[in-house]
């Protein structure tokens, strides 16, 4: 048993360009839970069009095995995918195939952002949703297909079309707040944010108070799903109802 990770020692896979997942997780971490990042090397971080966006996924697929091998040497208890696009790709079946493949490789329980968002929406009994992403249109289409596979109606989706993978983390709180307001149509049951390098964990919790509906940030959802599945039920405050009430 680790001195610091006495309750949970989780491996977290992120693209090497990601600067948000690790601080997000530590800001939400219950005592005795530690997170150990495996960085998937991204050499070309351009996301300026659909082809460049898909190239990012090609890079992830080519480098993820080595990153997993590296992080497995710390003997983690489970693995959390701190990246989202790959987990939505191919809809429901694509996510299951991705998750199962890594579970077979590692022997660990693997938690993905796509699966976690679905679990959260089920918890809130949401049917009609709106979504914000940092993606190009090709990525947005994959997100819509995933949610439709699970029976949700995607009323509206806004892709911020960030130019690079690093630039996703530069999106301001003001821009995200304006986007949430734009997405908040009367018949929307819940708003979902995907793209793990968008800084939305705290804002989503605040937005629930003034939008009066669930706002699911993917980093919050994935961590919540992993913690609860691993038997850790601490309530964490300041990041919305998912962690503080469920």
């Amino acid at each position: 048993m680790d001195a610091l990770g006495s309750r949970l020692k989780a491996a977290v896979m992120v693209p090497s360009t990601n600067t948000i997942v690790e601080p997000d997780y530590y800001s939400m971490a219950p005592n005795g839970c530690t997170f150990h990042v495996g960085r998937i090397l991204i050499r070309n971080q351009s996301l300026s069009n659909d082809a460049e966006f898909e190239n990012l996924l090609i890079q992830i697929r080519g480098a993820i095995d080595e990153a997993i091998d590296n992080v497995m040497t710390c003997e983690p208890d489970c693995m959390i995918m701190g990246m989202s696009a790959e987990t939505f790709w191919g809809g429901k079946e694509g996510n299951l195939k991705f998750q199962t493949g890594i579970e077979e490789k590692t022997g660990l329980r693997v938690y993905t952002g796509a699966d976690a968002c679905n679990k959260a929406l089920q918890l809130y009994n949401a049917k009609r949703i709106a979504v914000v992403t940092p993606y190009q249109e090709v990525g947005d289409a994959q997100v819509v297909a995933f949610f439709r596979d699970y029976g949700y109606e995607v009323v509206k989706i806004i892709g911020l079309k960030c130019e690079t993978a690093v630039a996703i983390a530069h999106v301001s709180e003001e821009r995200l707040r304006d986007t949430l307001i734009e997405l908040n149509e009367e018949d929307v049951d819940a708003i979902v944010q995907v793209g793990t390098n968008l800084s939305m964990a705290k804002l989503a919790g605040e937005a629930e108070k003034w939008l009066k509906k669930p706002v699911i940030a993917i980093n919050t959802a994935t961590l919540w799903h992993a913690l609860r599945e691993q038997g850790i039920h601490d309530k964490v405050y300041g990041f919305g109802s998912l962690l503080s009430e469920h």
Side-chain angles (χ1 to χ4, degrees):
M1 180 182 295
D2 270 27
L4 297 182
S6 57
R7 300 170 71 197
L8 180 69
K9 181 169 63 172
V12 181
M13 305 308 302
V14 302
S16 59
T17 50
N18 190 295
T19 58
I20 298 299
V21 167
E22 192 171 9
D24 264 3
Y25 280 16
Y26 272 110
S27 68
M28 296 183 278
N31 289 334
C33 298
T34 58
F35 308 101
H36 308 281
V37 171
R39 304 192 76 84
I40 304 163
L41 180 60
I42 304 298
R43 295 186 184 277
N44 176 8
Q45 61 163 298
S46 175
L47 302 176
S48 59
N49 54 51
D50 283 350
E52 294 283 10
F53 188 90
E54 292 194 78
N55 183 54
L56 180 74
L57 277 292
I58 292 170
Q59 292 180 79
I60 287 174
R61 292 164 191 159
I64 192 170
D65 283 352
E66 183 176 359
I68 288 173
D69 289 343
N70 286 338
V71 80
M72 284 293 291
T73 62
C74 78
E75 301 180 358
D77 301 314
C78 67
M79 184 165 289
I80 305 173
M81 306 314 293
M83 56 185 189
S84 64
E86 178 73 348
T87 73
F88 286 99
W89 220 261
K92 179 180 179 180
E93 291 303 317
N95 175 71
L96 290 173
K97 181 179 179 180
F98 175 75
Q99 181 176 318
T100 300
I102 295 176
E103 288 181 341
E104 290 175 351
K105 175 180 172 62
T106 63
L108 299 178
R109 181 73 170 87
V110 173
Y111 303 100
T112 71
D115 188 42
C117 288
N118 176 49
K119 294 291 194 302
L121 289 168
Q122 290 175 339
L123 179 72
Y124 290 116
N125 197 32
K127 303 298 182 185
R128 295 168 57 82
I129 65 173
V131 185
V132 55
T133 87
Y135 304 154
Q136 296 288 341
E137 289 181 8
V138 66
D140 289 350
Q142 295 290 330
V143 172
V144 171
F146 173 86
F147 285 123
R148 285 179 176 167
D149 281 352
Y150 277 98
Y152 302 104
E153 181 181 352
V154 181
V155 176
K156 192 170 188 177
I157 185 166
I158 296 177
L160 300 178
K161 296 180 173 59
C162 295
E163 288 291 311
T164 69
V166 169
I168 296 171
H170 301 169
V171 177
S172 68
E173 181 175 304
E174 181 181 9
R175 186 179 183 192
L176 290 171
R177 187 187 305 114
D178 290 344
T179 302
L180 290 176
I181 292 169
E182 186 177 350
L183 289 170
N184 186 37
E185 298 186 3
E186 187 175 348
D187 59 349
V188 167
D189 300 324
I191 298 174
V192 182
Q193 170 261 319
V194 307
T196 61
N197 209 24
L198 275 179
S199 183
M200 268 282 292
K202 289 185 178 180
L203 177 60
E206 295 169 3
E208 287 188 332
K209 299 174 184 177
W210 36 268
L211 296 179
K212 308 299 183 184
K213 64 185 60 175
V215 180
I216 299 166
I218 194 166
N219 289 348
T220 306
T222 313
L223 181 60
W224 162 81
H225 183 40
L227 290 174
R228 301 306 183 246
E229 287 278 311
Q230 291 291 314
I232 296 172
H233 298 280
D234 302 43
K235 300 297 190 291
V236 180
Y237 299 93
F239 302 93
S241 58
L242 198 57
L243 276 173
S244 65
E245 299 177 14
H246 302 286

